[in-house]
Amino acid sequence: MIVPLTARTPAELVAQAAPVVAARPDLVEWRVDHLLAGGSDLAAVVEAGRALVAALDGLPLLATIRTGAEGGELPMPGEEYLVVYRALLEAGIADLVDVELRHATAARVIAAAHDAGVPVVASNHDFDGTPDREEIERRLLAMAEQGADVLKIAVMPRSPEDVLTLLSATLAVRRRVDQPLITMAMAGTGVVSRARRWRLRLRGDLRHRGSGLRPRPGRGGRAAPDPGAGAPGLSCTHTTARHPRGVPGRGGSAHSHSMVPGGLLVTSSTTRFTSGTSLVIRVEITESTS
């Protein structure tokens, strides 16, 4: 299970963490753009991140700065995006980061994350429609070429045929890359794309503190996998969710996605992860009604 946190103040962020820790999800996603939109400066964001890591009691953390162009809280088209991510990475706060494919600093953020030993989820969100199959494939392959560890795209279907286009492109790319794929069609029309089970094989960076784990240097004492400890593959089931305020500038009917929709402030099913044994190896896609 993955749960996003969307607090706009540091105090609210730590408060949101308490019920999450009680639920013991597999991964927590911190929407950093919400805290920035609440007025926190860079130093306050880093301190809030450290406090969140302590409050999460070893749960792995995905840091996401969603820009206004893709449903986030702030525009952030330039260097600030890179500066905030670098600060979080240097502080050892994030176990994974979400990087938007089309951001001007994407390549540098990915490089900074990899220099820090942090896997990257590359993402792209199209609220205006569904690109044709070739364009969807192009975007996913561009993520792979930039070195992302997980490839994610969300589109807005206007017809059932759009959903089939997405699924067809997903299958085509799946046959060409080793990275896990996360693809989804939003709104009611796209529900079939979200009622599928994606089996992902990941290495240990998503694993929890516990048996077979040892502290990972530079990450606040959080656990890293013991190479001798076995673990199952990673699987996730995706659904969609309606953002409580809609996407800024698009009215209340749009959907907002980061890596995982849902969580404390929106209604959706959760995404479930079972941690893996090594960094990204491959993706296996299997249909499931569960």
Side-chain angles (χ1 to χ4, degrees):
M1 178 171 65
I2 303 178
V3 179
L5 302 179
T6 55
R8 296 177 77 86
T9 69
E12 184 186 359
L13 182 65
V14 173
Q16 283 188 358
V20 172
V21 171
R24 303 307 298 176
D26 297 282
L27 187 66
V28 177
E29 181 182 25
W30 176 24
R31 283 287 301 274
V32 183
D33 52 298
H34 283 259
L35 193 63
L36 290 166
S40 294
D41 62 16
L42 182 59
V45 168
V46 171
E47 283 305 305
R50 291 193 175 110
L52 176 60
V53 168
L56 289 177
D57 190 31
L59 292 175
L61 184 63
L62 165 68
T64 298
I65 303 172
R66 184 66 64 235
T67 68
E70 301 208 15
E73 298 295 295
L74 293 171
M76 296 190 71
E79 293 293 311
E80 184 184 6
Y81 186 82
L82 172 64
V83 168
V84 176
Y85 268 129
R86 276 183 172 163
L88 295 175
L89 291 164
E90 289 171 1
I93 289 168
D95 294 293
L96 302 94
V97 293
D98 178 298
V99 180
E100 293 175 3
L101 168 68
R102 291 182 165 180
H103 198 276
T105 67
R108 286 185 285 164
V109 177
I110 292 172
H114 286 164
D115 286 345
V118 174
V120 173
V121 179
S123 63
N124 178 247
H125 307 77
D126 197 322
F127 294 98
D128 297 322
T130 300
D132 60 32
R133 172 179 162 170
E134 290 73 19
E135 176 61 16
I136 295 173
E137 292 179 21
R138 188 196 67 77
R139 294 182 192 180
L140 290 169
L141 291 172
M143 296 174 191
E145 290 169 3
Q146 288 195 20
D149 303 288
V150 179
L151 322 178
K152 181 218 168 184
I153 190 168
V155 302
M156 183 64 73
R158 302 301 179 188
S159 68
E161 287 77 13
D162 284 345
V163 180
L164 293 176
T165 295
L166 174 67
L167 295 176
S168 178
T170 301
L171 181 59
V173 173
R174 187 253 184 198
R175 289 169 171 164
R176 296 178 62 181
V177 302
D178 291 330
Q179 292 94 327
L181 299 170
I182 300 172
T183 67
M184 66 186 81
M186 296 179 269
T189 304
V191 67
V192 67
S193 75
R194 305 187 302 270
R196 299 175 66 88
R197 190 163 192 159
W198 307 82
R199 305 193 68 82
L200 313 179
R201 301 292 182 189
L202 298 186
R203 296 188 178 178
D205 277 324
L206 299 185
R207 294 194 56 192
H208 291 206
R209 183 194 308 272
S211 176
L213 302 183
R214 53 183 168 78
R216 182 165 39 167
R219 296 296 179 85
R222 279 180 290 171
D226 182 332
L234 182 157
S235 66
C236 60
T237 304
H238 289 276
T239 62
T240 192
R242 188 176 301 276
H243 193 288
R245 296 187 301 279
V247 178
R250 292 184 173 86
S253 62
H255 289 70
S256 176
H257 294 278
S258 45
M259 181 175 179
V260 175
L264 298 177
L265 301 181
V266 287
T267 303
S268 79
S269 299
T270 55
T271 297
R272 299 196 171 274
F273 275 79
T274 303
S275 51
T277 54
S278 52
L279 189 57
V280 180
I281 308 175
R282 65 174 55 194
V283 59
E284 296 177 5
I285 306 177
T286 60
E287 295 186 16
S288 172
T289 57
S290 61

